[in-house]
Amino acid sequence: MMTQKEAAELFRSDDLIGIGMAADAVRRKWHPEGVVSYIIDRNINYTNFCTEYCSFCAFYRPMGHREGYVLDTETICAKIQETIDLGGTGVLMQGGLNPELKIEWYEELLRAIKRRFPRIWLHCFSAPEIWCIAETSGLTIRDTIARLRDAGLDSIPGGGAEILHDDVRHRISRLKCASQEWVDVHLTAHRLGMNTTATMMFGCGETIEQRVHHLEVIRRIQEETGGFTAFIPWSFQRENTSLGRFVKEEATGVEYLKTLAISRLYLENIPNIQSSWVTQGLKVCQVGLRFGGNDVGSIMIEENVVSAAGARNRASEEELRRFIRDAGFIPKQRDTLYRTYFLN
């Protein structure tokens, strides 16, 4: 098992190809069949009102802002119907931390969706959102997740992790939940039998050691619970953000590929590592499939958060499949938990 010192040395190494080949070997152990997967879903951002004011975010609006919104159930259901019509099997739903929305609002929304679309998989509400719902509703984290689960929530995305080191969080998102609070949400969900994913937003001014610390936190949780289905690293997008005034240069393609490969090597206990086309573009994403990635995520019918920060890459399902085939893999549509490959 790789140590933190060894991971830091790899980050400082210039042997990009060697690191990529080692990551590819780990990828082949997990996925010897040569399949690269993707999902058809969309990210419904149900509200952009938020009280956290994270410096890396260009999506949020303060409470009462004229550009702020909360989507109603009919609008959300129309988006889900459109997703299903396009072959979608799940919905990612994330929003700002809106203290006016108590748990009853979320329960009613989830139940309304499941009544109308009983087979749709609801992968919703990042750890900071769970904390916000719990605090504004006077509930424990365990009770909050259990009530959302009973109302129809199927799994929890890894959003809001950024870098799990409080020195970094204090600098870029001081009002958002602390590292341990993010960990507590995922540990609690896993103990309740619910799967989650893990993410890392890097390139926001953190040190190599802080990035490695993040990977170590994720690996320890997985050792204890086995509840993570996938790890998704992506780089900070600086356009239109206040943090972008201080972080002048976004991570390069080489830095992304190295981080992707080291993630694959360090997190040997997580089955799936996602290569991102949304933030990196299709061509870097394609190369990432030889740097440890075995999944390209969603065709992303809708996404409003990273696009607000400058990531405007677009891809159809057929484009993704062509890029996967051209890299030497078999493209397969999957479900949210990576359990099922659909016939296509």
Side-chain angles (χ1 to χ4, degrees):
M1 184 177 290
M2 183 180 289
T3 66
Q4 292 185 61
K5 181 181 178 183
E6 290 169 338
E9 288 172 352
L10 285 185
F11 272 112
R12 294 190 172 92
S13 168
D14 292 327
D15 186 13
L16 178 67
I17 300 302
I19 296 169
M21 290 176 67
D24 195 49
V26 176
R27 191 268 309 162
R28 286 198 301 272
K29 287 182 183 177
W30 273 105
H31 306 282
E33 68 285 353
V35 166
V36 166
S37 54
Y38 64 94
I39 187 171
I40 298 176
D41 70 359
R42 75 191 304 156
N43 190 351
I44 299 176
N45 305 116
Y46 58 93
T47 182
N48 65 347
F49 282 127
C50 189
T51 56
E52 306 302 284
Y53 313 120
C54 298
S55 63
F56 57 83
C57 181
F59 170 73
Y60 78 87
R61 293 293 182 273
M63 303 300 293
H65 194 281
R66 59 184 174 81
E67 295 176 357
Y69 69 84
V70 178
L71 297 182
D72 59 35
T73 301
E74 283 305 310
T75 301
I76 292 172
C77 285
K79 291 175 179 289
I80 294 174
Q81 183 63 61
E82 182 187 40
T83 305
I84 292 172
D85 292 343
L86 291 170
T89 57
V91 167
L92 172 63
M93 193 154 56
Q94 299 179 116
L97 306 192
N98 185 338
E100 293 182 353
L101 304 179
K102 304 293 191 289
I103 193 162
E104 290 81 8
W105 184 89
Y106 293 92
E107 289 176 314
E108 290 173 11
L109 173 63
L110 292 168
R111 290 195 175 101
I113 293 172
K114 285 292 187 176
R115 278 196 301 271
R116 194 174 306 186
F117 310 105
R119 298 183 65 183
I120 198 75
W121 189 274
L122 296 179
H123 183 59
C124 311
F125 313 135
S126 64
E129 290 169 270
I130 299 289
W131 267 97
C132 180
I133 297 167
E135 287 178 345
T136 58
S137 304
L139 297 169
T140 65
I141 292 298
R142 188 184 188 286
D143 288 347
T144 301
I145 296 173
R147 283 180 61 168
L148 294 172
R149 177 199 60 190
D150 293 346
L153 180 64
D154 293 305
S155 57
I156 293 175
E162 324 332 339
I163 294 291
L164 292 171
H165 191 292
D166 284 337
D167 288 349
V168 179
R169 302 178 78 79
H170 183 72
R171 178 170 55 80
I172 68 174
S173 56
R174 67 179 58 193
L175 297 179
K176 188 179 274 186
C177 68
S179 298
Q180 187 58 49
E181 293 169 333
W182 187 97
V183 170
D184 289 343
V185 168
H186 287 265
L187 281 175
T188 303
H190 295 173
R191 289 165 182 162
L192 286 169
M194 183 178 288
N195 287 112
T196 72
T197 55
T199 63
M200 176 171 72
M201 183 191 76
F202 64 93
C204 54
E206 78 281 359
T207 65
I208 286 175
E209 283 70 23
Q210 288 167 336
R211 201 179 295 183
V212 173
H213 175 81
H214 179 106
L215 296 176
E216 174 65 15
V217 170
I218 299 299
R219 188 164 73 181
R220 286 181 184 175
I221 296 173
Q222 186 73 346
E223 283 177 354
E224 178 178 340
T225 68
F228 289 129
T229 57
F231 181 72
I232 306 150
W234 58 283
S235 59
F236 165 57
Q237 307 293 297
R238 58 184 297 277
E239 190 175 311
N240 303 322
T241 69
S242 58
L243 184 61
R245 294 200 298 271
F246 303 97
V247 179
K248 300 293 186 184
E249 297 176 341
E250 292 180 4
T252 65
V254 167
E255 186 174 3
Y256 173 75
L257 291 172
K258 187 186 292 183
T259 303
L260 181 72
I262 295 171
S263 299
R264 177 64 288 174
L265 291 167
Y266 202 84
L267 301 174
E268 279 199 83
N269 56 358
I270 294 182
N272 301 290
I273 303 290
Q274 189 179 115
S275 183
S276 171
W277 64 268
V278 175
T279 56
Q280 306 304 315
L282 282 166
K283 294 179 181 178
V284 174
C285 169
Q286 184 186 35
V287 177
L289 301 179
R290 293 295 179 185
F291 282 73
N294 67 286
D295 183 85
V296 297
S298 170
I299 69 165
M300 204 65 81
I301 299 168
E302 176 184 5
E303 198 290 320
N304 302 296
V305 178
V306 295
S307 60
R312 299 187 180 87
N313 294 304
R314 291 287 181 269
S316 67
E317 181 182 10
E318 190 47 47
E319 283 177 301
L320 283 182
R321 292 177 66 85
R322 183 172 74 85
F323 272 76
I324 292 169
R325 282 196 300 267
D326 193 58
F329 297 97
I330 305 165
K332 289 284 186 182
Q333 183 188 348
R334 63 167 171 83
D335 67 3
T336 305
L337 295 188
Y338 300 79
R339 300 167 305 184
T340 302
Y341 291 145
F342 298 96
L343 293 174
N344 51 22

